[in-house]
Amino acid sequence: MAQVLFAETVLRADYVVDIHCNTPPSLCWVTLHTHDGDPVGDKAAGMAEAFGITIIQPGPGATWGQLGGARGMLCDMAAEQGKPGLIVELQAWTLEEPPVRTGVRGILNVMKHLGMIEGAIEPQTDVPIIFERLAKIRPLRATRGGFVHHLRKVGDRVALGDPLAAIL
């Protein structure tokens, strides 16, 4: 079934956007699995910039596995076929308005960037954004059970050692 879906969608597409949902509270972000200087990667980077949210891209020589994931995701398979792609992680448990607006605006921005539709790229206004590219994903995990009380909001600047949450 996966092979048929891949053949009927990705192989027929020019570009790929793979949309995921991340658990709140979190940033919305775009993950690039390619490196600068690769023509397919450069096109994917342009798509990511047009989407308009935080971009995570490994440094030269890094692999997706070093970011905490595994190769073989849809955008990896698309890139192997010469098709630029990216993974979008939107924050949502359900279809909540801010991440849905962010996703719709981002897809429209990518389509404008690629010349599929007319119009100016619109800035993202519904989610916090880190404007410098990040090289790693570092999720926080609890080491014991309890109720989590968040001490900081997503997007707040923190210093090394600042508490982010308390488990009660």
Short mmCIF file of all heavy atoms in Angstrom, two decimals, residues 58 60 63 71 77 85 109 118 120 127 145:
data_model
loop_
_atom_site.label_atom_id
_atom_site.label_comp_id
_atom_site.label_asym_id
_atom_site.label_seq_id
_atom_site.Cartn_x
_atom_site.Cartn_y
_atom_site.Cartn_z
N PRO A 58 20.07 20.36 9.96
CA PRO A 58 21.34 19.89 10.49
C PRO A 58 22.51 20.59 9.80
O PRO A 58 22.39 21.05 8.67
CB PRO A 58 21.33 18.39 10.16
CG PRO A 58 20.41 18.27 8.99
CD PRO A 58 19.37 19.35 9.18
N PRO A 60 26.49 20.82 8.20
CA PRO A 60 27.17 20.01 7.18
C PRO A 60 27.65 18.68 7.76
O PRO A 60 28.22 18.64 8.83
CB PRO A 60 28.35 20.88 6.76
CG PRO A 60 27.95 22.27 7.13
CD PRO A 60 27.08 22.14 8.35
N THR A 63 23.50 13.90 9.98
CA THR A 63 22.42 13.08 9.42
C THR A 63 21.17 13.29 10.25
O THR A 63 21.22 13.77 11.38
CB THR A 63 22.78 11.58 9.45
OG1 THR A 63 22.90 11.18 10.81
CG2 THR A 63 24.07 11.32 8.70
N ARG A 71 16.24 8.34 9.13
CA ARG A 71 16.00 8.59 7.70
C ARG A 71 14.89 7.68 7.23
O ARG A 71 14.54 6.73 7.86
CB ARG A 71 17.28 8.34 6.93
CG ARG A 71 18.31 9.43 7.23
CD ARG A 71 19.35 9.62 6.15
NE ARG A 71 18.87 9.75 4.81
CZ ARG A 71 18.46 10.89 4.24
NH1 ARG A 71 18.41 11.98 4.94
NH2 ARG A 71 18.09 10.93 2.99
N MET A 77 12.57 10.38 1.03
CA MET A 77 12.26 9.58 -0.16
C MET A 77 12.01 10.48 -1.37
O MET A 77 12.42 10.16 -2.48
CB MET A 77 11.04 8.69 0.11
CG MET A 77 11.16 7.81 1.34
SD MET A 77 12.61 6.74 1.35
CE MET A 77 12.14 5.58 0.10
N GLY A 85 11.48 18.70 -0.58
CA GLY A 85 10.42 18.48 0.39
C GLY A 85 10.84 18.92 1.77
O GLY A 85 12.01 19.13 2.05
N ASN A 109 1.99 30.44 1.31
CA ASN A 109 3.27 31.12 1.11
C ASN A 109 4.20 30.30 0.23
O ASN A 109 4.89 30.84 -0.65
CB ASN A 109 3.95 31.42 2.45
CG ASN A 109 3.34 32.61 3.16
OD1 ASN A 109 2.61 33.41 2.58
ND2 ASN A 109 3.65 32.73 4.44
N GLU A 118 -0.52 33.67 -7.30
CA GLU A 118 -0.01 35.03 -7.19
C GLU A 118 -0.20 35.56 -5.78
O GLU A 118 -1.02 35.05 -5.02
CB GLU A 118 -0.73 35.94 -8.18
CG GLU A 118 -0.39 35.62 -9.62
CD GLU A 118 -1.06 36.59 -10.59
OE1 GLU A 118 -1.67 37.59 -10.15
OE2 GLU A 118 -0.96 36.33 -11.79
N ALA A 120 1.73 38.20 -2.43
CA ALA A 120 2.92 38.39 -1.60
C ALA A 120 2.92 37.39 -0.46
O ALA A 120 1.86 37.01 0.06
CB ALA A 120 2.93 39.81 -1.04
N VAL A 127 2.06 32.16 15.84
CA VAL A 127 2.89 31.27 16.64
C VAL A 127 4.24 31.93 16.91
O VAL A 127 4.70 32.75 16.12
CB VAL A 127 3.12 29.90 15.94
CG1 VAL A 127 1.81 29.15 15.76
CG2 VAL A 127 3.81 30.08 14.60
N GLY A 145 6.65 10.81 37.08
CA GLY A 145 5.25 11.16 36.85
C GLY A 145 4.81 12.33 37.71
O GLY A 145 5.49 12.74 38.65
#
